[in-house]
Amino acid sequence: MAVVITDANYEEMANKGQLLVVDFWAQWCGPCRSIAPIVEELATEFEGKAIVGKVDVDDNPDIVSKFGIRNIPTIIFIKNGEVVDKTVGAVPKNELLEKINANL
């Protein structure tokens, strides 16, 4: 299951030494809901190898601002505290798999 990432726990998640995959989403966002099952599948498939989490943009303005998120869904890939890749929009699972595998 994807981890809930908030303004309060982001630093802890980012400093665990694993690839952090963060899905920025909102309840009212149709494309966000369409990729939600894919994000959950990735969380299960990469458990122990990467941290897959979700940030509700309406509840976490600090982290949204930190990464300059303007469109959702946006998925960012963070390694060693640095953004190493990013996708914007509802993308197919294979594209996300490629990005995760390339950054593990």
Side-chain angles (χ1 to χ4, degrees), residues 28-96:
W28 47 263
C29 169
C32 298
R33 288 192 308 268
S34 74
I35 68 163
I38 294 170
V39 172
E40 292 298 332
E41 289 173 19
L42 294 172
T44 301
E45 290 173 27
F46 287 94
E47 189 171 351
K49 299 178 201 161
I51 299 168
V52 178
K54 298 175 70 71
V55 173
D56 186 327
V57 297
D58 292 329
D59 295 336
N60 299 284
D62 293 345
I63 191 169
V64 170
S65 176
K66 175 182 176 80
F67 291 105
I69 303 301
R70 298 194 196 304
N71 300 299
I72 55 173
T74 292
I75 299 176
I76 59 171
F77 303 82
I78 301 168
K79 191 170 189 177
N80 301 321
E82 300 292 322
V83 176
V84 293
D85 213 334
K86 174 180 174 177
T87 65
V88 178
V91 296
K93 183 177 179 180
N94 65 331
E95 185 175 327
L96 297 173

